[in-house]
Coordinates of all heavy atoms in Angstrom, one line a residue:
M27 N 122.6 96.4 93.4 CA 121.1 96.4 93.4 C 120.6 96.3 92.0 O 121.0 97.0 91.1 CB 120.7 97.8 94.0 CG 119.2 97.9 94.2 SD 118.7 99.5 94.9 CE 119.3 99.2 96.6
T28 N 119.6 95.4 91.8 CA 119.1 95.1 90.4 C 118.1 96.2 90.0 O 117.5 96.9 90.9 CB 118.4 93.8 90.4 OG1 117.3 93.8 91.2 CG2 119.3 92.6 90.8
T29 N 117.9 96.3 88.7 CA 117.0 97.3 88.2 C 115.6 97.0 88.7 O 114.8 97.9 89.0 CB 117.0 97.3 86.6 OG1 118.3 97.5 86.2 CG2 116.1 98.3 86.1
K30 N 115.2 95.7 88.7 CA 113.9 95.3 89.2 C 113.7 95.8 90.6 O 112.6 96.3 91.0 CB 113.8 93.8 89.1 CG 112.4 93.3 89.5 CD 112.4 91.8 89.4 CE 111.0 91.2 89.8 NZ 111.0 89.7 89.7
K31 N 114.7 95.6 91.5 CA 114.5 96.0 92.9 C 114.4 97.5 93.0 O 113.6 98.1 93.7 CB 115.7 95.5 93.7 CG 115.6 95.8 95.2 CD 116.7 95.2 95.9 CE 116.5 95.4 97.4 NZ 117.6 94.8 98.2
M32 N 115.2 98.2 92.2 CA 115.2 99.7 92.2 C 113.8 100.2 91.7 O 113.2 101.1 92.3 CB 116.3 100.3 91.3 CG 117.6 100.1 92.0 SD 119.1 100.7 91.1 CE 118.5 101.5 89.6
E33 N 113.2 99.6 90.7 CA 111.9 100.0 90.2 C 110.9 99.7 91.3 O 110.0 100.6 91.5 CB 111.6 99.2 88.9 CG 112.4 99.6 87.7 CD 112.0 98.8 86.5 OE1 111.1 98.0 86.5 OE2 112.8 98.9 85.5
S34 N 110.9 98.6 91.9 CA 109.9 98.3 92.9 C 110.0 99.2 94.1 O 109.0 99.7 94.6 CB 110.0 96.8 93.4 OG 111.3 96.6 94.0
E35 N 111.2 99.5 94.5 CA 111.3 100.5 95.6 C 110.9 101.9 95.2 O 110.3 102.6 96.0 CB 112.8 100.4 96.1 CG 113.1 99.2 96.9 CD 114.5 99.1 97.4 OE1 115.3 100.1 97.2 OE2 114.9 98.2 98.0
Q36 N 111.2 102.3 94.0 CA 110.8 103.6 93.6 C 109.3 103.7 93.5 O 108.7 104.7 93.9 CB 111.3 103.9 92.2 CG 112.8 104.2 92.2 CD 113.4 104.3 90.8 OE1 112.7 104.0 89.8 NE2 114.6 104.7 90.7
L37 N 108.6 102.6 93.1 CA 107.1 102.6 93.0 C 106.5 102.7 94.4 O 105.6 103.5 94.7 CB 106.6 101.4 92.3 CG 106.8 101.3 90.8 CD1 106.4 100.0 90.3 CD2 106.0 102.4 90.1
I38 N 107.1 102.0 95.3 CA 106.7 102.0 96.7 C 106.9 103.4 97.3 O 106.0 103.9 98.0 CB 107.3 100.9 97.6 CG1 106.9 99.5 97.1 CG2 107.0 101.1 99.1 CD1 107.7 98.4 97.7
E39 N 108.0 103.9 97.1 CA 108.3 105.3 97.7 C 107.4 106.3 97.1 O 106.9 107.2 97.9 CB 109.8 105.6 97.4 CG 110.7 104.8 98.3 CD 112.2 105.0 97.9 OE1 112.5 105.7 96.9 OE2 113.0 104.4 98.5
R40 N 107.1 106.2 95.8 CA 106.1 107.2 95.2 C 104.7 107.0 95.8 O 104.0 108.0 96.1 CB 106.1 107.0 93.7 CG 107.3 107.5 93.0 CD 107.3 107.2 91.5 NE 106.2 107.8 90.8 CZ 105.9 107.5 89.6 NH1 106.7 106.8 88.9 NH2 104.9 108.0 89.0
W41 N 104.3 105.8 96.0 CA 103.0 105.5 96.6 C 103.0 106.0 98.0 O 102.0 106.7 98.4 CB 102.8 104.0 96.6 CG 101.5 103.6 97.2 CD1 100.3 103.4 96.5 CD2 101.2 103.2 98.5 NE1 99.3 103.0 97.3 CE2 99.8 102.9 98.6 CE3 101.9 103.1 99.7 CZ2 99.2 102.5 99.7 CZ3 101.3 102.7 100.8 CH2 99.9 102.4 100.9
V42 N 104.0 105.8 98.8 CA 104.1 106.3 100.2 C 104.0 107.8 100.2 O 103.2 108.4 101.0 CB 105.3 105.8 100.9 CG1 105.5 106.6 102.3 CG2 105.3 104.3 101.2
V43 N 104.7 108.5 99.4 CA 104.7 110.0 99.3 C 103.3 110.5 99.0 O 102.8 111.4 99.7 CB 105.8 110.5 98.3 CG1 105.6 112.0 98.1 CG2 107.2 110.3 98.9
R44 N 102.7 109.9 98.0 CA 101.3 110.3 97.7 C 100.3 110.1 98.8 O 99.5 110.9 99.0 CB 100.8 109.5 96.4 CG 101.6 110.0 95.2 CD 101.1 109.3 94.0 NE 101.8 109.7 92.8 CZ 101.8 109.1 91.7 NH1 101.0 108.1 91.5 NH2 102.5 109.5 90.7
R45 N 100.5 109.0 99.5 CA 99.6 108.8 100.7 C 99.8 109.8 101.8 O 98.9 110.3 102.4 CB 99.7 107.3 101.2 CG 99.3 106.3 100.2 CD 97.8 106.4 100.0 NE 97.3 105.5 98.9 CZ 96.4 104.6 99.0 NH1 95.7 104.5 100.1 NH2 96.0 103.9 98.0
I46 N 101.1 110.1 102.1 CA 101.4 111.0 103.1 C 100.9 112.4 102.8 O 100.4 113.1 103.6 CB 102.9 111.0 103.5 CG1 103.2 109.6 104.2 CG2 103.3 112.1 104.3 CD1 104.7 109.4 104.4
V47 N 101.1 112.8 101.5 CA 100.6 114.1 101.0 C 99.1 114.2 101.1 O 98.6 115.3 101.5 CB 101.1 114.4 99.6 CG1 100.4 115.5 99.0 CG2 102.6 114.6 99.6
S48 N 98.4 113.1 100.9 CA 97.0 113.1 101.1 C 96.5 113.0 102.5 O 95.3 113.0 102.7 CB 96.4 111.9 100.2 OG 96.6 110.7 100.8
G49 N 97.4 113.0 103.5 CA 97.0 113.1 104.9 C 97.2 111.9 105.7 O 96.8 111.9 106.9
E50 N 97.6 110.8 105.2 CA 97.8 109.6 106.0 C 99.0 109.6 106.8 O 100.0 110.3 106.4 CB 97.7 108.3 105.1 CG 96.4 108.1 104.4 CD 96.3 106.8 103.7 OE1 96.7 105.8 104.3 OE2 95.9 106.8 102.6
S51 N 99.0 109.0 107.9 CA 100.2 108.9 108.8 C 101.1 107.7 108.4 O 100.6 106.8 107.8 CB 99.8 108.8 110.2 OG 99.3 107.6 110.5
T52 N 102.4 107.8 108.8 CA 103.3 106.7 108.5 C 102.8 105.5 109.3 O 103.0 104.3 108.8 CB 104.7 107.0 108.9 OG1 104.8 107.5 110.2 CG2 105.3 108.1 108.0
A53 N 102.3 105.7 110.5 CA 101.8 104.6 111.3 C 100.6 103.8 110.6 O 100.6 102.6 110.7 CB 101.3 105.0 112.7
S54 N 99.8 104.5 109.9 CA 98.7 103.9 109.2 C 99.1 103.1 108.0 O 98.4 102.2 107.5 CB 97.6 104.9 108.8 OG 98.1 105.8 107.8
L55 N 100.3 103.5 107.4 CA 100.8 102.8 106.2 C 101.7 101.6 106.6 O 102.0 100.8 105.7 CB 101.7 103.8 105.4 CG 100.9 105.0 104.9 CD1 101.9 105.9 104.2 CD2 99.8 104.6 104.0
A56 N 102.1 101.5 107.9 CA 102.9 100.4 108.3 C 102.2 99.0 108.0 O 101.0 99.0 108.1 CB 103.3 100.5 109.8
N57 N 102.9 98.0 107.7 CA 102.5 96.7 107.4 C 101.7 96.6 106.1 O 101.2 95.5 105.8 CB 101.6 96.1 108.5 CG 102.4 95.8 109.7 OD1 103.6 95.4 109.6 ND2 101.8 96.0 110.9
T58 N 101.8 97.6 105.2 CA 101.2 97.5 103.9 C 102.1 96.6 103.1 O 103.3 96.8 103.1 CB 101.1 98.9 103.2 OG1 100.3 99.8 104.0 CG2 100.5 98.8 101.8
A59 N 101.5 95.7 102.4 CA 102.3 94.7 101.6 C 102.2 95.1 100.1 O 101.2 95.6 99.6 CB 101.8 93.3 101.8
F60 N 103.3 94.9 99.4 CA 103.4 95.1 98.0 C 103.9 93.9 97.2 O 104.8 93.2 97.7 CB 104.4 96.3 97.7 CG 103.9 97.6 98.4 CD1 104.4 97.9 99.7 CD2 103.1 98.5 97.7 CE1 104.0 99.0 100.3 CE2 102.8 99.7 98.4 CZ 103.2 99.9 99.6
V61 N 103.4 93.7 96.0 CA 103.9 92.6 95.2 C 104.4 93.2 93.9 O 103.7 93.9 93.3 CB 102.7 91.6 94.9 CG1 103.2 90.5 94.0 CG2 102.2 91.0 96.2
Y62 N 105.6 92.8 93.6 CA 106.2 93.3 92.3 C 106.8 92.0 91.7 O 107.8 91.5 92.2 CB 107.2 94.4 92.5 CG 107.7 95.0 91.3 CD1 107.0 96.0 90.7 CD2 108.9 94.6 90.7 CE1 107.5 96.6 89.5 CE2 109.4 95.2 89.6 CZ 108.7 96.2 89.0 OH 109.1 96.8 87.8
G63 N 106.2 91.5 90.6 CA 106.7 90.3 90.1 C 106.5 89.2 91.1 O 105.3 89.0 91.6
N64 N 107.5 88.5 91.5 CA 107.4 87.4 92.5 C 108.1 87.9 93.8 O 108.5 87.1 94.6 CB 108.0 86.1 92.1 CG 107.0 85.2 91.4 OD1 105.8 85.5 91.4 ND2 107.5 84.2 90.7
D65 N 108.2 89.2 94.0 CA 108.8 89.8 95.2 C 107.6 90.3 96.1 O 106.7 91.0 95.6 CB 109.7 90.9 94.9 CG 111.0 90.5 94.1 OD1 111.4 89.3 94.3 OD2 111.5 91.2 93.3
L66 N 107.7 90.0 97.4 CA 106.8 90.5 98.3 C 107.6 91.5 99.3 O 108.6 91.1 99.8 CB 106.1 89.4 99.1 CG 105.2 89.8 100.3 CD1 104.0 90.5 99.7 CD2 104.8 88.6 101.1
M67 N 107.1 92.7 99.4 CA 107.7 93.7 100.3 C 106.7 94.2 101.2 O 105.5 94.3 100.9 CB 108.4 94.8 99.4 CG 109.6 94.3 98.6 SD 109.8 95.2 97.1 CE 108.5 94.5 96.1
R68 N 107.1 94.7 102.4 CA 106.2 95.2 103.4 C 106.8 96.4 104.0 O 108.0 96.5 104.2 CB 106.0 94.1 104.5 CG 105.0 94.5 105.5 CD 104.7 93.4 106.5 NE 104.4 92.1 105.8 CZ 103.1 91.8 105.4 NH1 102.1 92.6 105.5 NH2 102.9 90.6 104.9
L69 N 106.0 97.4 104.3 CA 106.4 98.6 105.0 C 106.5 98.3 106.5 O 105.5 97.9 107.0 CB 105.5 99.8 104.7 CG 105.5 100.3 103.3 CD1 104.4 101.4 103.1 CD2 106.8 100.9 102.9
V70 N 107.6 98.6 107.1 CA 107.8 98.4 108.5 C 108.2 99.8 109.1 O 109.0 100.5 108.6 CB 109.0 97.4 108.7 CG1 109.2 97.2 110.2 CG2 108.6 96.1 108.1
L71 N 107.5 100.1 110.2 CA 107.7 101.3 110.9 C 108.9 101.2 111.8 O 109.0 100.3 112.7 CB 106.5 101.7 111.8 CG 106.4 103.1 112.4 CD1 106.5 104.2 111.3 CD2 105.2 103.2 113.2
D72 N 109.9 102.1 111.6 CA 111.1 102.1 112.5 C 110.7 102.8 113.8 O 110.4 103.9 113.8 CB 112.2 102.8 111.7 CG 113.5 102.8 112.5 OD1 113.5 102.5 113.7 OD2 114.6 102.9 111.8
R73 N 110.8 102.1 114.9 CA 110.4 102.6 116.2 C 111.3 103.7 116.7 O 110.9 104.5 117.5 CB 110.4 101.5 117.2 CG 109.5 100.4 116.9 CD 108.0 100.8 117.1 NE 107.1 99.7 116.8 CZ 105.9 99.9 116.6 NH1 105.4 101.1 116.6 NH2 105.1 98.9 116.3
T74 N 112.6 103.8 116.2 CA 113.5 104.8 116.7 C 113.2 106.2 116.1 O 113.2 107.2 116.9 CB 115.0 104.5 116.4 OG1 115.1 104.3 115.0 CG2 115.4 103.2 117.1
D75 N 112.9 106.3 114.8 CA 112.7 107.6 114.3 C 111.3 107.8 113.6 O 111.0 108.8 113.0 CB 113.8 108.0 113.3 CG 113.9 107.1 112.1 OD1 113.1 106.1 112.0 OD2 114.8 107.3 111.2
G76 N 110.5 106.7 113.6 CA 109.2 106.8 113.0 C 109.1 106.7 111.5 O 108.1 107.0 110.9
S77 N 110.2 106.4 110.8 CA 110.3 106.3 109.4 C 109.8 105.0 108.9 O 109.8 104.0 109.7 CB 111.6 106.6 108.9 OG 112.5 105.6 109.2
L78 N 109.4 104.9 107.7 CA 109.0 103.6 107.1 C 110.2 103.0 106.3 O 110.9 103.7 105.6 CB 107.8 103.8 106.1 CG 106.5 104.2 106.7 CD1 105.5 104.6 105.7 CD2 106.0 103.0 107.6
Q79 N 110.4 101.7 106.5 CA 111.4 101.0 105.8 C 110.8 99.9 104.9 O 109.8 99.3 105.3 CB 112.4 100.3 106.8 CG 113.0 101.2 107.9 CD 113.9 102.2 107.2 OE1 114.6 101.9 106.3 NE2 113.9 103.4 107.7
I80 N 111.4 99.7 103.8 CA 110.9 98.6 102.9 C 111.6 97.4 103.2 O 112.8 97.3 103.0 CB 111.0 99.1 101.4 CG1 110.3 100.4 101.1 CG2 110.6 97.9 100.5 CD1 110.6 101.0 99.8
M81 N 110.9 96.3 103.6 CA 111.5 95.1 103.9 C 111.0 94.0 102.9 O 109.8 93.8 102.7 CB 111.1 94.6 105.3 CG 111.5 95.6 106.4 SD 113.3 95.9 106.5 CE 113.9 94.4 107.1
K82 N 112.0 93.4 102.2 CA 111.6 92.3 101.3 C 111.4 91.0 102.1 O 112.3 90.7 103.0 CB 112.7 92.1 100.3 CG 112.4 91.1 99.2 CD 113.4 91.0 98.1 CE 113.0 89.9 97.2 NZ 114.1 89.7 96.2
E83 N 110.4 90.3 101.8 CA 110.1 89.0 102.5 C 110.4 87.9 101.6 O 110.0 87.9 100.4 CB 108.6 89.0 102.9 CG 108.3 90.0 103.9 CD 106.9 89.9 104.5 OE1 106.3 88.8 104.4 OE2 106.4 90.8 105.1
P84 N 111.2 86.9 102.1 CA 111.6 85.8 101.3 C 110.4 84.9 100.9 O 109.8 84.3 101.8 CB 112.6 85.1 102.1 CG 112.3 85.4 103.5 CD 111.7 86.8 103.5
I85 N 110.1 84.7 99.6 CA 109.1 83.8 99.2 C 109.5 83.3 97.8 O 110.4 83.8 97.2 CB 107.7 84.5 99.0 CG1 107.8 85.8 98.1 CG2 107.1 85.0 100.3 CD1 106.5 86.4 97.7
D86 N 109.0 82.1 97.4 CA 109.3 81.5 96.2 C 108.4 81.9 95.0 O 108.8 82.0 93.9 CB 109.3 80.0 96.3 CG 110.5 79.5 97.2 OD1 111.5 80.2 97.2 OD2 110.3 78.5 97.9
E87 N 107.1 82.0 95.4 CA 106.1 82.2 94.3 C 104.9 83.0 94.9 O 104.6 82.9 96.1 CB 105.6 80.9 93.8 CG 104.7 81.0 92.6 CD 104.3 79.6 92.1 OE1 104.7 78.6 92.6 OE2 103.6 79.6 91.1
V88 N 104.3 83.9 94.0 CA 103.2 84.7 94.4 C 102.0 84.3 93.6 O 102.1 84.2 92.3 CB 103.5 86.2 94.2 CG1 102.2 87.0 94.5 CG2 104.6 86.7 95.1
V89 N 100.9 84.0 94.2 CA 99.6 83.7 93.5 C 98.6 84.7 94.0 O 98.4 84.8 95.2 CB 99.2 82.2 93.8 CG1 97.9 81.9 93.1 CG2 100.3 81.3 93.3
I90 N 97.9 85.3 93.1 CA 96.8 86.3 93.5 C 95.5 85.7 93.0 O 95.3 85.5 91.8 CB 97.1 87.7 92.9 CG1 98.4 88.2 93.5 CG2 96.0 88.6 93.3 CD1 98.9 89.5 92.9
F91 N 94.5 85.6 93.9 CA 93.2 85.2 93.5 C 92.3 86.5 93.6 O 92.4 87.2 94.5 CB 92.6 84.2 94.5 CG 93.4 82.9 94.4 CD1 94.3 82.5 95.4 CD2 93.1 82.0 93.4 CE1 94.9 81.3 95.3 CE2 93.8 80.8 93.3 CZ 94.7 80.4 94.3
R92 N 91.4 86.7 92.6 CA 90.5 87.7 92.6 C 89.1 87.2 92.7 O 88.8 86.2 92.0 CB 90.6 88.6 91.4 CG 91.9 89.4 91.3 CD 91.8 90.4 90.2 NE 93.0 91.1 90.1 CZ 93.3 92.3 90.7 NH1 92.4 92.9 91.4 NH2 94.5 92.9 90.5
K93 N 88.2 87.8 93.4 CA 86.8 87.4 93.4 C 86.2 87.8 92.1 O 86.4 88.9 91.6 CB 86.1 88.1 94.6 CG 86.6 87.6 95.9 CD 85.8 88.3 97.0 CE 86.3 87.9 98.4 NZ 85.6 88.7 99.4
P94 N 85.3 87.0 91.5 CA 84.7 87.3 90.2 C 83.9 88.6 90.3 O 83.8 89.3 89.3 CB 83.8 86.1 89.9 CG 84.3 85.0 90.8 CD 84.9 85.6 92.0
E95 N 83.3 88.9 91.4 CA 82.5 90.1 91.5 C 83.3 91.4 91.6 O 82.8 92.5 91.4 CB 81.5 90.0 92.6 CG 82.1 90.0 94.0 CD 82.4 88.5 94.5 OE1 82.2 87.6 93.7 OE2 82.7 88.4 95.6
E96 N 84.6 91.3 91.9 CA 85.4 92.5 92.0 C 85.8 92.9 90.6 O 86.4 92.2 89.8 CB 86.7 92.2 92.8 CG 86.5 92.0 94.2 CD 87.7 91.7 95.0 OE1 88.8 91.6 94.4 OE2 87.7 91.6 96.2
R97 N 85.5 94.2 90.3 CA 85.9 94.7 89.0 C 87.0 95.7 89.2 O 87.1 96.4 90.2 CB 84.7 95.5 88.4 CG 83.6 94.6 88.0 CD 82.5 95.4 87.4 NE 82.5 96.8 87.7 CZ 81.6 97.7 87.5 NH1 80.5 97.3 87.0 NH2 81.7 98.9 87.9
D98 N 87.9 95.9 88.2 CA 88.9 96.9 88.2 C 88.3 98.2 88.0 O 87.5 98.4 87.1 CB 90.0 96.6 87.2 CG 90.8 95.4 87.5 OD1 90.9 95.0 88.6 OD2 91.4 94.9 86.5
E99 N 88.7 99.2 88.8 CA 88.3 100.6 88.6 C 89.0 101.1 87.4 O 90.2 100.9 87.2 CB 88.6 101.4 89.8 CG 87.9 100.9 91.1 CD 86.4 101.2 91.0 OE1 86.0 102.2 90.4 OE2 85.7 100.3 91.6
E100 N 88.2 101.8 86.5 CA 88.8 102.3 85.3 C 89.8 103.4 85.6 O 90.8 103.6 84.8 CB 87.8 102.8 84.3 CG 87.0 101.7 83.7 CD 86.0 102.2 82.7 OE1 86.2 103.3 82.1 OE2 85.0 101.5 82.4
N101 N 89.6 104.2 86.6 CA 90.5 105.4 86.8 C 91.5 105.1 88.0 O 91.8 106.0 88.7 CB 89.6 106.6 87.1 CG 88.8 107.0 85.9 OD1 89.0 106.6 84.8 ND2 87.7 107.7 86.1
V102 N 92.0 103.9 88.1 CA 92.9 103.6 89.1 C 94.2 103.1 88.4 O 94.2 102.3 87.5 CB 92.4 102.4 90.0 CG1 93.4 101.9 91.0 CG2 91.1 102.9 90.7
C103 N 95.3 103.6 88.9 CA 96.6 103.2 88.4 C 96.9 101.8 88.7 O 96.7 101.4 89.9 CB 97.7 104.1 89.0 SG 99.4 103.6 88.4
R104 N 97.2 101.0 87.7 CA 97.4 99.6 87.9 C 98.8 99.3 88.6 O 99.0 98.2 89.1 CB 97.4 98.8 86.6 CG 96.0 98.8 86.1 CD 95.9 98.1 84.8 NE 94.6 98.1 84.3 CZ 93.8 97.0 84.1 NH1 94.3 95.8 84.3 NH2 92.6 97.1 83.6
C105 N 99.6 100.3 88.7 CA 100.9 100.1 89.4 C 100.8 100.4 90.9 O 101.2 99.6 91.7 CB 102.0 100.9 88.8 SG 102.6 100.4 87.2
C106 N 100.3 101.6 91.2 CA 100.3 102.0 92.6 C 98.9 102.0 93.3 O 98.8 102.1 94.5 CB 100.9 103.4 92.8 SG 100.0 104.7 92.0
G107 N 97.8 101.9 92.5 CA 96.5 101.8 93.1 C 95.9 103.1 93.4 O 94.8 103.2 93.9
M108 N 96.5 104.2 93.0 CA 96.0 105.6 93.3 C 94.8 105.8 92.3 O 94.8 105.5 91.2 CB 97.0 106.7 93.1 CG 98.2 106.6 94.1 SD 97.7 106.8 95.8 CE 97.2 108.6 95.7
E109 N 93.7 106.5 92.9 CA 92.6 106.8 92.1 C 92.8 108.2 91.4 O 93.4 109.1 92.0 CB 91.3 106.9 92.9 CG 90.9 105.5 93.5 CD 89.7 105.6 94.3 OE1 88.8 106.5 94.0 OE2 89.5 104.8 95.2
H110 N 92.3 108.3 90.2 CA 92.5 109.5 89.4 C 91.1 109.9 88.8 O 90.2 109.1 88.7 CB 93.5 109.3 88.3 CG 94.9 109.1 88.8 ND1 95.7 110.1 89.2 CD2 95.5 107.9 89.0 CE1 96.8 109.5 89.6 NE2 96.8 108.2 89.5
S111 N 91.0 111.2 88.4 CA 89.8 111.7 87.9 C 89.5 111.3 86.5 O 88.3 111.2 86.0 CB 89.7 113.2 88.0 OG 90.8 113.8 87.2
T112 N 90.5 110.9 85.7 CA 90.3 110.4 84.4 C 91.1 109.2 84.1 O 92.1 108.9 84.8 CB 90.8 111.5 83.3 OG1 92.2 111.7 83.5 CG2 90.1 112.8 83.5
F113 N 90.7 108.4 83.1 CA 91.4 107.2 82.7 C 92.8 107.5 82.2 O 93.8 106.8 82.6 CB 90.6 106.5 81.6 CG 91.3 105.2 81.2 CD1 91.3 104.1 82.0 CD2 91.8 105.1 79.9 CE1 91.9 102.9 81.6 CE2 92.4 103.9 79.5 CZ 92.4 102.8 80.3
K114 N 93.0 108.6 81.5 CA 94.3 109.0 81.0 C 95.2 109.3 82.1 O 96.4 108.9 82.1 CB 94.2 110.2 80.1 CG 95.5 110.7 79.5 CD 95.3 111.9 78.7 CE 96.7 112.3 78.1 NZ 96.8 113.7 77.8
A115 N 94.8 110.0 83.2 CA 95.6 110.3 84.3 C 96.0 109.0 85.0 O 97.2 108.9 85.5 CB 94.9 111.2 85.3
A116 N 95.2 108.1 85.1 CA 95.5 106.8 85.7 C 96.6 106.1 84.9 O 97.5 105.5 85.5 CB 94.3 105.9 85.9
L117 N 96.5 106.1 83.6 CA 97.5 105.5 82.7 C 98.9 106.2 82.9 O 99.9 105.5 82.9 CB 97.1 105.5 81.3 CG 96.0 104.6 80.9 CD1 95.6 104.8 79.4 CD2 96.4 103.1 81.1
E118 N 98.9 107.5 83.0 CA 100.1 108.2 83.1 C 100.7 108.3 84.5 O 101.9 108.7 84.6 CB 99.8 109.7 82.6 CG 99.5 109.8 81.1 CD 99.1 111.2 80.7 OE1 98.8 112.0 81.6 OE2 99.1 111.5 79.5
C119 N 100.0 107.8 85.5 CA 100.5 107.9 86.8 C 101.9 107.4 87.1 O 102.8 108.1 87.5 CB 99.5 107.2 87.8 SG 99.9 107.3 89.5
C120 N 102.1 106.2 86.8 CA 103.4 105.5 87.0 C 104.1 105.2 85.7 O 105.1 104.5 85.7 CB 103.2 104.3 87.8 SG 102.8 104.6 89.6
A121 N 103.7 105.8 84.6 CA 104.3 105.6 83.3 C 105.6 106.4 83.3 O 105.7 107.5 83.9 CB 103.4 106.0 82.2
Y122 N 106.6 105.8 82.7 CA 107.9 106.5 82.5 C 107.9 107.3 81.2 O 108.2 106.7 80.2 CB 109.1 105.6 82.6 CG 109.1 104.9 83.9 CD1 108.7 103.6 84.1 CD2 109.6 105.6 85.1 CE1 108.8 103.0 85.3 CE2 109.6 105.0 86.3 CZ 109.2 103.7 86.4 OH 109.3 103.0 87.6
L123 N 107.4 108.5 81.3 CA 107.3 109.4 80.1 C 108.5 110.3 79.9 O 109.1 110.7 80.9 CB 106.0 110.2 80.2 CG 104.7 109.4 80.3 CD1 103.6 110.4 80.5 CD2 104.5 108.5 79.1
D124 N 108.9 110.5 78.7 CA 110.0 111.5 78.4 C 109.5 112.9 78.4 O 108.4 113.2 78.0 CB 110.6 111.1 77.0 CG 111.4 109.8 77.1 OD1 111.9 109.5 78.2 OD2 111.5 109.2 76.1

């Protein structure tokens, strides 16, 4: 398993845990797509036990278009998209600090 894959899965798992702790169900998180570099991953709901599985989808290239009127929220983590009360908290969210 490559470091890149491990990092992407760790970020996804952290995002899922935060969403579940905030009250969302695993069913509502199913089919959420994630882009890490040129990798596209999707959460798939396992019908047997109700758990979420990370499935990598085979693609060659990822292109993201943003609408000009969409602005980045200042207090949103750029890795996982979680909102925070301060800009500092958003920066520290997914940072690997010692």
Side-chain angles (χ1 to χ4, degrees):
M27 184 177 289
T28 65
T29 303
K30 181 178 178 182
K31 185 174 182 181
M32 290 180 2
E33 288 176 11
S34 62
E35 288 181 358
Q36 288 174 350
L37 289 171
I38 293 169
E39 288 169 0
R40 287 174 59 186
W41 182 87
V42 168
V43 168
R44 289 181 183 170
R45 294 294 172 127
I46 289 174
V47 167
S48 70
E50 292 189 48
S51 68
T52 54
S54 69
L55 299 177
N57 291 324
T58 301
F60 299 89
V61 176
Y62 189 82
N64 272 347
D65 294 330
L66 176 66
M67 291 148 285
R68 186 175 307 277
L69 291 176
V70 178
L71 189 62
D72 187 337
R73 299 287 181 200
T74 58
D75 64 1
S77 66
L78 290 169
Q79 304 296 322
I80 300 170
M81 302 301 289
K82 185 176 177 185
E83 296 188 15
I85 55 171
D86 293 328
E87 187 174 1
V88 173
V89 177
I90 299 173
F91 294 103
R92 293 191 184 266
K93 294 180 182 177
E95 63 272 6
E96 289 181 356
R97 297 183 334 195
D98 288 338
E99 297 292 327
E100 288 186 23
N101 298 339
V102 174
C103 176
R104 292 181 180 240
C105 287
C106 69
M108 295 295 293
E109 294 183 28
H110 296 276
S111 59
T112 65
F113 180 69
K114 182 180 179 205
L117 287 176
E118 293 174 342
C119 179
C120 287
Y122 297 105
L123 302 174
D124 292 330

